[in-house]
Amino acid sequence: MKPLRIALTKGRLEKDTIGLLESAGYDCTAVREKGRKLILPIGDGDIEVVLAKAADVITYVENGVCDLGVVGKDTIMENGSCFFEILDLGFGKCRFALAGKGGRSAEEFFSGYGEKTIATKYPNVARNFFEGKGMDIRVIKIEGSVELAPLLGLADAIVDIVETGSTLKENGLTIIEDNVAPISARLIANTASLKLRKAEIEALAQKMEEERRKSS
């Protein structure tokens, strides 16, 4: 049988996932010493790791070229739906927040009937959040430093990922709504793989869940 293939988001989530798999008893030497390779075996070769950018992890899982993926909840909320989210891995924690200039409270910002302009790298997340509040907004997608938009007068506020909030403070912005949505790394599965390779996937997910609980 071909190896169970897992797409990992390159960078911090990759390192944290490999640490979790090693704690569960898998030999991840090939990934630790990967060089420029992007497809690598772990364990006895019955599992294969594919290193990819976050949005591509979802693409590979949705299209069935990878059975599983590890990706942040932010990417899931913005980009994907045709897969199963099977486990919160508990690392890569941060949050979406709404921030703007002037120290306005949430009550002040959400009051009134005028259309607000929101700058963000995550337009779907922003739209869904404001739809839940029954507000009409105009969304401007920013690819770089989204903090610039309110400072330049392009937007009333931003929706962005926040860890400590220090970047916002340094740029004269304050948090209006601190918990738009929590974020952490998730294990996702291709819908067909979850049926055809159910036992393998459940066994791996159980080991990962046990190690997650030990480290929490």
Side-chain angles (χ1 to χ4, degrees):
M1 183 179 288
K2 66 179 182 178
L4 192 68
R5 187 175 281 172
I6 309 174
L8 301 186
T9 301
K10 290 192 286 187
R12 188 174 68 177
L13 295 191
E14 168 199 339
K15 292 176 183 177
D16 287 345
T17 305
I18 292 305
L20 190 68
L21 290 170
E22 287 177 332
S23 297
Y26 293 96
D27 181 2
C28 298
T29 303
V31 184
R32 295 284 188 191
E33 301 173 356
K34 61 182 179 288
R36 294 183 179 273
K37 292 181 180 178
L38 299 173
I39 302 177
L40 303 127
I42 67 170
D44 296 325
D46 53 345
I47 298 175
E48 196 170 61
V49 164
V50 176
L51 304 179
K53 289 187 176 181
D56 293 338
V57 168
I58 286 180
T59 300
Y60 297 150
V61 171
E62 285 185 330
N63 286 278
V65 296
C66 290
D67 303 293
L68 297 167
V70 174
V71 69
K73 183 66 174 179
D74 55 314
T75 308
I76 292 172
M77 291 173 68
E78 184 63 26
N79 295 295
S81 59
C82 298
F83 51 80
F84 283 101
E85 184 181 323
I86 59 176
L87 183 61
D88 183 345
L89 295 171
F91 51 76
K93 289 186 177 181
C94 48
R95 65 197 187 279
F96 277 114
L98 174 69
K101 286 175 63 180
R104 282 185 291 179
S105 67
E107 184 178 355
E108 290 172 323
F109 185 84
F110 295 129
S111 63
Y113 298 97
E115 183 184 65
K116 298 284 196 307
T117 299
I118 306 298
T120 184
K121 297 176 185 176
Y122 301 89
N124 291 329
V125 172
R127 288 191 189 98
N128 290 336
F129 172 69
F130 283 99
E131 281 177 8
K133 291 186 173 293
M135 291 179 64
D136 292 324
I137 61 165
R138 174 178 173 241
V139 175
I140 298 176
K141 186 171 182 180
I142 300 292
E143 295 292 348
S145 299
V146 72
E147 296 87 1
L148 281 170
L151 302 178
L152 296 173
L154 181 64
D156 297 294
I158 65 172
V159 171
D160 201 18
I161 292 174
V162 174
E163 291 187 60
T164 64
S166 58
T167 303
L168 295 176
K169 290 178 183 177
E170 287 177 11
N171 286 283
L173 302 180
T174 56
I175 291 175
I176 299 167
E177 179 88 24
D178 194 32
N179 197 21
V180 171
I183 300 168
S184 60
R186 309 299 169 100
L187 181 66
I188 62 174
N190 173 266
T191 53
S193 296
L194 199 55
K195 295 176 182 177
L196 298 172
R197 310 190 71 169
K198 186 173 184 288
E200 294 170 83
I201 290 173
E202 287 184 347
L204 177 60
Q206 183 177 352
K207 288 181 180 179
M208 294 176 79
E209 170 68 2
E210 288 171 356
E211 293 306 316
R212 186 196 69 81
R213 288 178 178 173
K214 288 178 185 177
S215 62
S216 62

